[in-house]
């Protein structure tokens, strides 16, 4: 079951013919009842629109008619008997400025892209053996409901969003097709966000959930299953360890600072593999290996450290382990003890995106501390997707693409009713989805970004890319580890990106400190 991402030439005329979507500026505003519901011809040519949260790209778009006129001319409802927008609501809508038109135009693009791709996914994943036309119609209906509900939640239309959520819950099944399952996770997120919606005119959300709390047994088990079954984390460990081994070549005293210790994953899998490689490689093994784990779960880290010390001893390597109890935002340079003459490497696996805030101050502070440590290399592994855009609808659409690909890959790896898959989806990936969809401000920690965005951030912080030259080894790793067909590795300007059928999932990159760079 493939996850399709189809492209074609884009223009307004083609879009209106192929998808039935009105993408004019006048039809893009945020209002209580979505003014569009896409209709898809079975022979339609699929298309994809460029995704971007950068308003500078959108500034080239032309301004069109007013919002009120567009609502009156395009008014429709998800249901054939839907009610029209009242004159009072229209009169209450404030006059839009040019930046508002730009924003709404961008959101319409994102909505159109999400509908087309998610619909393609839903149709592909229709239940086998059933009525194909009926399966396609159900998938299309589910896509439409999700997009309409996201718009209603964004517009704080609680009554309409609640009605849509009620229908979604009966169709988004935890043990259904891959798209039904991913839809169930987005329904959870939309429900949480709707419960926090304030009346129009009120400011922001006050979310109470934070998935960075100490994990429950279910979350720990889900993380373990993700590590064992999905290649995402293991791929990051593999690339990171190869970069670290290269940095440690010929060195006697080596030190790794591990930010987050891979979410507290038990047994220190990454460092067991590194210890093995250091012990087995040609030449003399290092006289001393130090590992410093940084995070809040120091008791768990110390247990992992004790296991690693025994494992390293059996391999003939002297390992020293220490734990620093601190989150990344409060980390200080003096917390990391550096011994004279040792080579330092900083390792970050799925961690730095949690400190990417709106102001960039938190991330800049962490990167400045890392820069002051003067590591030989900083290894960065992150989810490769745009889940940190400034607008809710944009994040929603991008997340729908990203997690649809992941759930599609799980479909290919595990049987339909496998409880392991349900645990991963509901206690790991669903937690990420809910955080992206329902949280704002400091509570929103799943702020994943694309490789090019990280490249800009790292450059501003005084780092330069150190290209990873191991494409052949990465492809061999996929074969050796019997990774499911459909996963691919590509090189993107010195970074290695693991993807599911052309959709990027995880990106690994390496960085060196620029000398005398401004912070």
């Amino acid at each position: 079951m493939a996850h399709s991402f189809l492209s074609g030439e884009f223009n307004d005329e083609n879009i209106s013919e192929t998808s039935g979507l009105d993408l004019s500026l006048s039809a893009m505003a945020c209002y209580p009842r979505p003014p569009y519901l896409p209709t898809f011809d079975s022979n339609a040519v699929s298309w994809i629109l460029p995704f971007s949260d950068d308003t500078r790209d959108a500034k080239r778009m032309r301004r069109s008619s007013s919002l009120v006129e567009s609502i009156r001319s395009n008014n429709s409802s998800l249901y054939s008997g839907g009610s029209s927008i009242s004159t009072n609501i229209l009169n209450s809508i404030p006059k839009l400025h040019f930046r508002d038109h730009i924003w709404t135009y961008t959101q319409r693009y994102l909505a159109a892209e999400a509908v087309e791709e998610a619909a393609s996914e839903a149709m592909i994943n229709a239940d086998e053996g059933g009525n194909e036309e009926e399966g396609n119609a159900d998938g299309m209906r589910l896509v439409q409901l999700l997009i309409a509900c996201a718009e209603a939640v964004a517009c704080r239309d609680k009554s309409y969003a609640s009605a849509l959520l009620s229908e979604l819950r009966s169709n988004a099944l935890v043990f259904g097709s891959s798209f039904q399952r991913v839809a169930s996770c987005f329904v959870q997120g939309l429900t949480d966000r709707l419960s926090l919606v304030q009346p129009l005119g009120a400011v922001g959300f006050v979310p109470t959930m934070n998935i960075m709390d100490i994990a429950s047994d279910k979350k720990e088990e889900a993380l373990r299953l993700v590590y064992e079954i999905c290649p995402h984390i293991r791929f990051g460990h593999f690339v990171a360890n190869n970069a670290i081994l290269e940095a440690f070549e010929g060195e006697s005293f080596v030190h790794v600072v591990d930010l987050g210790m891979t979410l507290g994953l038990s047994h220190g899998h990454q460092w067991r593999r590194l210890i093995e490689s250091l012990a087995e490689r040609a030449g003399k093994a290092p006289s001393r290996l130090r590992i410093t784990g940084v995070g809040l779960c120091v008791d768990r880290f110390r247990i992992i450290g004790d296991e690693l010390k025994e494992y390293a001893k059996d391999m003939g390597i002297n390992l020293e382990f220490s734990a620093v109890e601190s989150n990344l935002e409060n980390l200080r340079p003096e917390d990391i003890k550096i011994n004279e003459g040792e080579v330092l490497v900083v390792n970050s696996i799925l961690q730095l995106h949690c400190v990417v805030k709106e102001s960039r101050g938190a991330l800049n502070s962490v990167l400045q501390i890392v820069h002051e440590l003067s590591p030989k290399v900083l290894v960065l592994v992150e989810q490769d997707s745009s889940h940190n855009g400034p607008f809710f609808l944009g994040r929603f659409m991008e997340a729908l693409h990203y997690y649809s690909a992941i759930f599609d890959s799980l479909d290919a790896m595990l049987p339909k009713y496998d409880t392991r898959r349900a645990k991963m989806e509901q206690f790991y990936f669903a937690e990420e989805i809910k955080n992206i969809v329902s949280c704002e401000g400091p509570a929103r920690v799943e702020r994943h970004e694309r490789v090019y965005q990280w490249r800009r951030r790292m450059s501003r912080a005084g780092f330069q890319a150190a290209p990873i030259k191991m494409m052949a080894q990465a492809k061999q790793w996929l074969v050796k580890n019997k990774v499911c067909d459909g996963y691919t590795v590509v090189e993107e300007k010195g970074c290695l990106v693991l993807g599911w059928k052309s959709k990027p999932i995880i990106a690994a990159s390496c960085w060196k400190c620029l000398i005398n760079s401004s912070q």
Side-chain angles (χ1 to χ4, degrees):
M1 286 181 267
H3 181 83
S4 300
F5 292 87
L6 307 174
S7 62
E9 186 177 356
F10 163 65
N11 57 55
D12 291 338
E13 183 179 356
N14 287 345
I15 291 173
S16 62
E17 290 178 357
T18 59
S19 68
L21 287 172
D22 182 0
L23 297 186
S24 66
L25 182 57
S26 63
M28 289 167 41
C30 182
Y31 30 71
R33 294 292 186 271
Y36 77 100
L37 276 176
T39 57
F40 294 82
D41 186 349
S42 60
N43 296 320
V45 178
S46 295
W47 48 270
I48 183 171
L49 302 176
F51 178 89
S52 174
D53 277 318
D54 295 333
T55 56
R56 65 176 180 272
D57 295 333
K59 288 180 180 178
R60 291 190 284 268
M61 301 175 183
R62 295 173 296 176
R63 188 173 185 176
S64 185
S65 58
S66 70
L67 171 62
V68 174
E69 291 174 349
S70 71
I71 295 176
R72 287 170 177 161
S73 62
N74 290 288
N75 178 33
S76 64
S77 172
L78 179 64
Y79 303 102
S80 59
S83 61
S84 61
I85 299 176
S86 69
T87 304
N88 290 337
I89 294 177
L90 291 176
N91 293 336
S92 68
I93 299 175
K95 182 179 179 180
L96 292 185
H97 298 287
F98 181 70
R99 63 178 178 273
D100 300 312
H101 286 291
I102 295 300
W103 176 78
T104 52
Y105 208 171
T106 302
Q107 297 313 306
R108 177 63 61 178
Y109 271 18
L110 300 177
E113 181 187 19
V115 168
E116 188 70 17
E117 293 190 5
S120 174
E121 174 64 17
M123 289 188 290
I124 290 172
N125 290 328
D127 288 340
E128 296 180 5
N131 184 288
E132 184 175 356
E133 290 187 6
E134 182 178 349
N136 291 348
D138 290 343
M140 291 301 304
R141 177 67 171 171
L142 189 56
V143 173
Q144 294 172 352
L145 287 168
L146 273 175
I147 302 302
C149 186
E151 284 194 331
V153 171
C155 297
R156 300 190 176 115
D157 187 345
K158 299 190 74 169
S159 60
Y160 187 51
S162 297
L164 293 172
L165 284 170
S166 179
E167 184 168 352
L168 277 165
R169 290 189 191 98
S170 64
N171 290 280
L173 307 177
V174 174
F175 284 101
S177 67
S178 66
F179 190 75
Q180 285 176 315
R181 299 195 314 274
V182 77
S184 73
C185 299
F186 279 88
V187 168
Q188 295 174 45
L190 288 170
T191 300
D192 290 342
R193 189 178 184 96
L194 186 63
S195 69
L196 300 168
V197 164
Q198 300 173 7
L200 278 170
V203 179
F205 292 81
V206 187
T208 56
M209 61 176 288
N210 188 341
I211 68 168
M212 296 309 290
D213 292 339
I214 295 177
S216 65
D217 291 341
K218 290 182 178 178
K219 291 181 180 179
E220 289 183 16
E221 183 183 6
L223 175 61
R224 176 183 62 81
L225 290 171
V226 168
Y227 176 81
E228 294 174 354
I229 296 173
C230 300
H232 311 162
I233 298 175
R234 288 182 288 129
F235 173 78
H237 285 176
F238 169 74
V239 177
N241 279 358
N242 274 272
I244 293 170
L245 285 169
E246 183 177 339
F248 286 170
E249 184 69 36
E251 301 291 346
S252 296
F253 302 99
V254 294
H255 185 185
V256 176
V257 173
D258 189 2
L259 305 181
M261 293 285 289
T262 311
L263 309 174
L265 186 66
S266 299
H267 306 305
H269 297 289
Q270 179 179 3
W271 307 126
R272 286 173 180 261
R273 304 290 86 77
L274 181 71
I275 290 167
E276 291 173 4
S277 298
L278 288 171
E280 295 171 358
R281 73 180 182 181
K284 186 179 178 182
S287 302
R288 183 181 64 218
L289 168 64
R290 294 181 63 210
I291 297 177
T292 300
V294 178
L296 297 177
C297 306
V298 292
D299 291 338
R300 187 182 307 166
F301 290 176
R302 291 191 179 104
I303 293 173
I304 295 173
D306 291 341
E307 293 179 357
L308 289 175
K309 283 191 285 187
E310 290 297 320
Y311 189 75
K313 184 179 179 180
D314 292 341
M315 290 286 179
I317 292 180
N318 177 28
L319 171 64
E320 297 178 11
F321 183 88
S322 59
V324 175
E325 186 172 9
S326 173
N327 58 27
L328 295 184
E329 294 184 52
N330 297 324
L331 186 65
R332 300 169 300 173
E334 55 267 29
D335 292 332
I336 310 297
K337 296 180 181 179
I338 308 298
N339 295 333
E340 185 177 354
E342 68 181 11
V343 174
L344 176 69
V345 165
V346 176
N347 182 75
S348 177
I349 309 292
L350 310 181
Q351 288 295 311
L352 284 185
H353 69 263
C354 295
V355 290
V356 177
K357 308 297 184 181
E358 289 89 347
S359 65
R360 298 201 302 267
L363 177 64
N364 289 345
S365 176
V366 174
L367 292 178
Q368 182 175 351
I369 290 171
V370 172
H371 199 284
E372 290 178 13
L373 295 175
S374 298
K376 189 171 183 180
V377 68
L378 163 63
V379 182
L380 178 65
V381 177
E382 287 290 346
Q383 294 92 338
D384 189 21
S385 194
S386 295
H387 298 155
N388 193 38
F391 306 116
F392 163 67
L393 284 178
R395 295 197 305 271
F396 182 90
M397 303 307 175
E398 181 66 20
L400 188 60
H401 301 167
Y402 181 81
Y403 289 101
S404 291
I406 290 178
F407 278 52
D408 186 42
S409 71
L410 293 173
D411 236 17
M413 290 186 285
L414 294 172
K416 182 175 182 178
Y417 293 102
D418 196 311
T419 57
R420 293 175 299 168
R421 186 173 71 177
K423 289 176 181 178
M424 287 187 289
E425 292 174 347
Q426 294 300 314
F427 298 114
Y428 183 81
F429 294 115
E431 292 301 307
E432 291 185 349
I433 292 170
K434 287 190 289 185
N435 188 262
I436 294 168
V437 172
S438 67
C439 292
E440 294 294 350
R444 181 158 63 85
V445 295
E446 297 298 336
R447 296 172 176 264
H448 312 144
E449 295 192 331
R450 298 299 306 273
V451 165
Y452 70 88
Q453 293 170 301
W454 280 108
R455 191 174 292 115
R456 289 200 299 262
R457 291 186 183 278
M458 299 300 290
S459 177
R460 285 195 296 261
F463 292 87
Q464 66 177 1
I468 301 174
K469 300 177 181 179
M470 50 175 292
M471 267 295 294
Q473 297 96 310
K475 290 181 178 180
Q476 291 173 2
W477 181 87
L478 292 179
V479 175
K480 180 180 179 181
N481 287 269
K482 299 179 181 178
V483 175
C484 177
D485 288 342
Y487 274 102
T488 58
V489 178
V490 298
E491 187 274 336
E492 184 177 334
K493 295 184 178 179
C495 305
L496 289 186
V497 181
L498 178 73
W500 173 253
K501 298 185 177 178
S502 302
K503 179 64 178 177
I505 303 295
I506 294 289
S509 56
C510 290
W511 305 89
K512 294 183 178 180
C513 297
L514 288 171
I515 300 176
N516 297 325
S517 64
S518 58
Q519 302 299 321

